[in-house]
Amino acid sequence: MSAPFFFGAPGRNLFGLLHGRDGANPESNQALLLCAPLLQDGIRSHRALWSLAQTVGQYGIPALTFDWYGTGDSGGQDIELSLPGMLDDLERASTELLRRGEVDSVQFLALRSAVLPLLAALERRVDPVDVVLWDPQLVGATLVASWREQHWQQLHGSGRYVNVTHESDEGELLGFAVSNALLDSLAALDAAHLRLPRGSRVRMAVWEMDDEIDRFAREQRAGGVSVEAVLLDEGERPEWNVPSRFGGQVFPRRAVAQLAQRMTAQVPW
């Protein structure tokens, strides 16, 4: 069962899709809120996040996917996507999931660039949180630089425009109207410095460990946060930044299945 609905503040409608088992009360006191990445990654990962949420919901755990304001089927224009707005969207989505899922707590899952706004939002909390970070992008300056590089590649290096010079409009990035305020606020974030409440639990699902992940884990552990990591099958790692694959849907089946098994406690972390 997947039930679509709108929620949010007046004039700031958000689109949500609640996944669960037909005709059944929740079998868990904890629901799952899935946070989609930004720009093209958000479009490309739609099927993977939907499949993960649907599978988790079939095990009696309410799961909510939603569109940030200014994206997807939510209200607003893409230029209106902002970090303060995303922090507000997360709080409203969490409250809505608690109400509709009839549960006591929410577990959070963020894919790639969604990790930064999620951690920025959860840093504000006092009570411990339970978080899953999937293929996390942890340094905002690196993230923004990768978007700009991909944008250049699409215009000049991918062969998309043959025998013609194409220049994007001012403020356009990867096919979206993006504000400098959003890019600046994201570039200023470093997940290692976003301190979650003591006693929180972070689990990471990654295709490869790297220095940024190690640094993030060390800093969070120093603040009393439990951090674990599980390696996904390297053979199906998505080619996020390959110019020729730009715009193609990303659906790593084994990774989705592996995550679903762990989110539903079929397999331990």
Side-chain angles (χ1 to χ4, degrees):
M1 180 273 292
S2 297
F5 61 95
F6 287 96
F7 65 101
R12 191 179 174 89
N13 285 339
L14 301 175
F15 175 79
L17 196 60
L18 183 63
H19 306 259
R21 185 187 297 174
D22 290 336
N25 293 323
E27 296 180 7
S28 171
N29 287 325
Q30 186 179 60
L32 176 64
L33 180 62
L34 298 94
C35 305
L38 309 177
L39 306 188
Q40 276 292 330
D41 283 355
I43 296 174
R44 298 179 68 193
S45 62
H46 181 268
R47 183 183 177 195
L49 288 174
W50 181 91
S51 179
L52 177 57
Q54 185 75 353
T55 302
V56 169
Q58 288 301 310
Y59 278 86
I61 301 172
L64 175 64
T65 54
F66 73 100
D67 294 335
W68 306 101
Y69 185 76
T71 73
D73 292 313
S74 290
Q77 303 297 315
D78 46 3
I79 192 66
E80 297 178 81
L81 183 67
S82 70
L83 182 59
M86 286 188 283
L87 303 190
D88 183 70
D89 294 347
L90 279 163
E91 290 302 320
R92 293 186 183 278
S94 177
T95 299
E96 192 71 16
L97 180 53
L98 285 170
R99 184 180 71 84
R100 289 179 180 263
E102 301 178 353
V103 294
D104 299 325
S105 63
V106 171
Q107 182 182 43
F108 301 87
L109 181 145
L111 173 60
R112 289 180 60 76
S113 55
V115 165
L116 289 170
L118 175 62
L119 294 180
L122 297 181
E123 185 186 36
R124 300 177 171 187
R125 299 200 173 193
V126 176
D127 295 329
V129 293
D130 190 354
V131 185
V132 175
L133 309 180
W134 183 10
D135 195 18
Q137 293 177 295
L138 298 170
V139 179
T142 304
L143 168 66
V144 172
S146 72
W147 283 342
R148 287 177 168 146
E149 171 61 21
Q150 180 66 267
H151 185 79
W152 187 94
Q153 288 291 341
Q154 290 307 314
L155 290 179
H156 306 292
S158 66
R160 181 182 295 268
Y161 303 101
V162 180
N163 298 324
V164 64
T165 299
H166 179 79
E167 297 296 337
S168 58
D169 296 333
E170 184 177 357
E172 180 187 342
L173 186 61
L174 295 173
F176 297 84
V178 179
S179 71
N180 288 329
L182 172 63
L183 297 177
D184 291 344
S185 59
L186 288 174
L189 295 179
D190 183 335
H193 300 151
L194 297 173
R195 299 303 177 90
L196 296 177
R198 182 174 293 272
S200 296
R201 184 184 186 191
V202 176
R203 288 165 290 180
M204 294 185 286
V206 301
W207 278 282
E208 182 184 15
M209 299 295 292
D210 59 31
D211 291 342
E212 290 181 0
I213 292 173
D214 288 340
R215 183 169 63 91
F216 169 76
R218 286 197 306 271
E219 293 292 334
Q220 295 299 328
R221 287 170 180 150
V225 174
S226 171
V227 182
E228 308 163 71
V230 61
L231 285 174
L232 303 170
D233 185 351
E234 176 68 21
E236 67 164 6
R237 184 176 186 175
E239 296 177 315
W240 297 103
N241 296 321
V242 174
S244 61
R245 301 295 179 89
F246 181 75
Q249 195 66 204
V250 169
F251 185 40
R253 299 174 186 273
R254 290 189 296 277
V256 170
Q258 192 173 350
L259 277 168
Q261 289 174 335
R262 283 163 171 76
M263 308 303 292
T264 56
Q266 299 175 72
V267 174
W269 283 88

